[in-house]
Amino acid sequence: MNTRDAVLSALRTAGSAGVSGEAMAADLRISRAAIAKHIAVLRQQGYGISALPGLGYRLENVPDLPVPAEVAALVRDPFWVRIEGGEVSPSTNDDARRHARSGAPEGTAVVAGRQTGGRGRLGRVWESPEGGVYLSMVLHPPLAPALVSPLALVVGLGVAEALESFGAAVRLKWPNDVLLGGGKVAGVLLEMSAEADRVEWVVAGVGINVDRPAEAGAGGAAYLKDALGGAAASATRPAVAAAVLDGVASAYRRFLGSGFGALAADWNARDALDLADVVVRNAQGDEVASGRAEGVDGEGRLLVADSGAVIPVVAGEVTLRQ
Ligand code: BT5
């Protein structure tokens, strides 16, 4: 923990009683002037900190920012051993990849409240304005590279369960979209480094639209807060980030323990395609299957039924057939 986070943590622990600058300075072995500087920076970041004569400092309110200190205070699952990040990042996936390459353990996460170069799949852009939650998780699944693809569905399911815990009725669109009322509320981007028979690391990135941004957002986007009505107050961005981390840890644990087969029914219960007539294309735009979407199988493959035959599809882009 850096010194600023230690100051924040001391304020949190003190609660409404407050804590004197002198006591914090003694505990952290820094000067009272240094404490005052940290308090000033925290206030700039949006923390409400009152200074009471004779009593010291008291934390009145925290900013609605998914920064590490706020998210770490709310995460429950011990799977998460290290939470990095800040208010803004070019791309939390790039940050997490850097951490993974330098040996970060499984359970490392990077969070941000805005991205300047957010990425989707296949070189697409992920609009990442203030108001969303952007996070990336380092995983070391003990799997052969060919068995990794269901992980996008596992992460999507974890995100869905997290958003449901706030009262949102979400659906999953194969392979990596989380939908809310017809729009896309979250997307998953998996990136990995592997040798021929062993995965070195996977970085799972998730972008979640929480508050509708001031400027027009991405076309087709949905926003969690819009759907929650009276329940929206509990969905602060740190709370959403923490719930998503906990949801993904839980789904990932079930996946590693019993395989995707144990999660397929939960995934299919939220299937947005739900017997729709679809066309699936590969990255080059060539059609790989078309027919009725019948949910996913125990390996996370989309089952497409066409004149009696059922084709299991491993990867691709799904569109509805007109
Ligand atoms: C995804 O790609 O859905 C994966 C998005 C992953 C974003 C996270 S944020 C944290 C981490 N760091 C990163 O840099 N990325 C990850 P894809 O299926 O390719 O969908 C991209 C498409 O979704 C775009 O072409 C737009 O049509 C649409 N889109 C872009 N931004 C959106 C947004 N904020 N909300 C809804 N839809 C969006």
Side-chain angles (χ1 to χ4, degrees), residues 10-187:
L11 288 167
R12 265 189 225 286
T13 309
S16 59
V19 53
S20 72
E22 201 174 354
M24 280 193 282
D27 271 1
L28 300 174
R29 295 170 204 277
I30 55 176
S31 68
R32 285 183 65 178
I35 294 285
K37 264 192 209 145
H38 287 302
I39 297 280
V41 175
L42 287 169
R43 281 176 174 153
Q44 266 169 19
Q45 291 175 348
Y47 288 89
I49 300 168
S50 56
L52 310 165
L55 269 177
Y57 298 108
R58 190 167 70 190
L59 186 59
E60 306 289 352
N61 53 58
V62 301
D64 184 13
L65 268 181
V67 290
E70 293 311 311
V71 177
L74 298 170
V75 162
R76 293 201 207 104
D77 201 302
F79 180 81
W80 301 107
V81 293
R82 183 169 150 198
I83 299 179
E84 303 277 341
E87 282 179 54
V88 56
S89 158
S91 158
T92 56
N93 256 44
D94 292 345
D95 299 336
R97 290 169 65 118
R98 251 191 319 275
H99 286 301
R101 277 197 294 266
S102 54
E106 174 157 278
T108 299
V110 181
V111 294
R114 183 161 68 83
Q115 292 182 127
T116 51
R119 295 186 280 112
R121 294 178 304 148
L122 306 170
R124 291 188 284 245
V125 169
W126 184 256
E127 304 283 345
S128 309
E130 189 63 51
V133 167
Y134 311 98
L135 56 84
S136 299
M137 303 161 272
V138 178
L139 307 173
H140 293 295
L143 298 174
L147 299 177
V148 166
S149 63
L151 206 44
L153 280 67
V154 173
V155 172
L157 181 62
V159 174
E161 289 173 344
L163 301 187
E164 285 162 3
S165 73
F166 293 97
V170 301
R171 311 217 107 202
L172 293 164
K173 176 169 174 259
W174 191 90
N176 73 323
D177 291 355
V178 184
L179 306 183
L180 181 58
K184 181 160 165 175
V185 69

Side-chain angles (χ1 to χ4, degrees), residues 237-317:
R237 286 191 291 155
V240 171
V244 166
L245 289 173
D246 286 340
V248 170
S250 154
Y252 180 63
R253 195 176 291 121
R254 282 179 276 156
F255 170 62
L256 289 189
S258 317
F260 186 77
L263 297 176
D266 288 342
W267 200 98
N268 282 327
R270 297 169 174 82
D271 182 11
L273 294 173
D274 198 17
L275 303 181
D277 232 348
V278 299
V279 180
V280 190
R281 295 177 202 281
N282 63 17
Q284 288 72 44
D286 305 324
E287 184 174 319
V288 291
S290 67
R292 200 173 61 211
E294 297 195 330
V296 298
D297 68 8
E299 293 168 38
R301 299 177 299 186
L302 180 68
L303 299 174
V304 180
D306 188 19
S307 32
V310 177
I311 305 165
V313 183
V314 178
E317 297 284 319

